[in-house]
Amino acid sequence: MSNDSMGEGYVAERRRALVLYGSETGNAQDIADEMGRMTERLRFLTKVVHLDAVEPSILLDYSVILISISTAGQGDLPNNARRFWSMLLRKKLPQTYLRNVQFAVFGLGDSSYPKYNFAARKLQRRLTQLGAEELFSHGEGDEQHPEGYESSFIPWLKSLHEHLLVQYPLQDGVEPIPSSRLLPPKVILTLDGKDKIMNRQSAHILESFPTDHVTIKKATVPRAPALSKFGCGKQDINSPVELKVTLEKNQRITPDDHWQDVRHLQLSANGSYSYGPGDVITISPQNAPEDVDQIIDLMGWNDIATLQIWVLSQGEPISDIPQVSSLVDDHDSKLTLRSLLTDHVDLNAIPRRSFFSLIVNFTTDEFQKERLLEFTDPTFTDELYDYTTRPRRSILEVLQEFDTVKIPWQWAAVAFPKLRGRQFSIASGGELKYGENGATRFELLVAIVKYKTVIKKVRQGICTRYLAGLLPGTSLRVSLQRGDLGIAKADASKPILMIGPGTGVAPMRSLIWERLHWTHLLQKSTNGAVLGKAILLYGCRNYKADFFFGGEWEHLKRKIPLEVFTACSRDQIEKRYVQDLVREQSKLVYKLLHETSGIVYVCGSSGKMPLAVRESLVEVFQHNGSMDRDHAEDYLTRMEKEGRYKQETW
């Protein structure tokens, strides 16, 4: 009997893998999917879900637990991991609660944040405290690395793969599923709506594809005591609220001859919705019609593009499969291939290695197949980076170049990455939150992403490209979500330093208008509290071109204790940035932060800006507080721990 035939349907009793993720933007979910494919090829029965979909007691049902988790805001866990985390923190849990659990963690972070990869580290520590054992040393990816988090994830995953083969050896004669063979898709599309789950009648759809099927065989592993025994029932966590909004205004606020198109958007929703400074709106975009047409033409899907289609799963409810869960939302009563390509999958994403591993199976051209295989090889990481990430080449452009690739339409739901919503900080606060007839108003400041790459091709952000073309009156699907700045009315009397260059001024504007509202409340109170002083350090290129909301600041300065300082980097020979303003206003900044225990908020572009601001604050403490560098850095670290240094960058 051949190795392949013996491998068909093989899953040993102890080969069950649970892959969990906590993700804000989808990157940690992509990592989890990659880890899931790896364990499937090692013939583990694998399940991939977000952390809040399980209770910690479930972990003991699996032989291997793999976790990918990003760090949000001020060292927090993502929204879809916070319920799980709160259950782990119950004091009544014994130190042996997760004994025998074998786990490994990969964290995704941004080194421009003070608490880099903090979520992964504290999750790892807590699992260990509860008796779980780390089966493989944790890995960390940095979004600021030129090659992104994959620069460390790819070698980490390869080492984990080798480690699992040693710790969980396959039976004699059974080999891992080779990368040259397709794994069965989680779901397929069909024109027959009778079945909801793949069965013998619908299995013929897969017969022409070279897949390796894995038979489900339930393992018997002792379950940990239910959490309710320790007072750990389900808790309500602040979850995103889905809204239907109407676009009231879509105004360009930079001159037509300015290099960047920045929009002031105003949205309204019927009814009353509560939100505060730092909260975000997530907008679900659509692919451009011309891009959808090109994919349909390239793949030869014209004949069935407008016919109604259904989604079949291999056994799991579709709503439990993250990649395609949106396909069963109420808003999509009739799914077609065209609506799938328009609303649900990302045609302009930069392709990951797994995309090339898939499409190489759908071409018979030997030359193109050979090139595609090179991109699937981890030893050619630099070549993949130079072809995809460096020029920002999209999936659509890859398929245009590799024109012999013909993806079967039945695979369309899983062949392309999920089209994810984009988050925007809300720019409205106080009285600006209230529209006509009891409606709730949301204002956004959106920079339309459009640039040329190193290969001189124009690139556009999929969401901002979509928003730029919308007319007032358009209905949108959005979600309202709690932000990570942790701004509270209880801090109204505290002095604050706001540093927000560019569109980073959006949450600062929300906060300033909210503080005006708090002033009215404080005036009515009997405790004698007054609004704390506020300083805004704003950075732009040109005073006349992108000094956003400049007309409002003078009005607000007459209403509340507010000072505004501006650095226009291109209005003089020597460039000036917000970090230069920190140094120029050194005494004022020191008094506010050190002598009156004020709070710092840093918002805007990630990368160099947050690090430069942090360095300028250290210098302020050194020069004005007679501190050496170590003491100045310690003071800033103490501010972070006290919640007086908060950063939200993108």
Side-chain angles (χ1 to χ4, degrees), residues 60 118 128 166 200 232 243 363 365 429 431 484 487 521 574 589 592 622:
L60 272 172
F118 201 69
T128 304
V166 173
R200 291 181 180 178
C232 298
L243 302 175
T363 178
D365 184 277
E431 64 186 59
D484 296 312
I487 297 172
L521 299 179
E574 186 177 351
V589 170
L592 187 142
Q622 284 182 271

Side-chain angles (χ1 to χ4, degrees), residues 241 271-276 279 426 433-434 440 442 480-482:
V241 177
S272 177
Y273 295 92
S274 175
Y275 68 88
D279 291 350
I426 298 173
K433 297 192 291 186
Y434 308 105
T440 303
F442 308 92
L480 172 63
Q481 186 173 328
R482 188 78 62 200

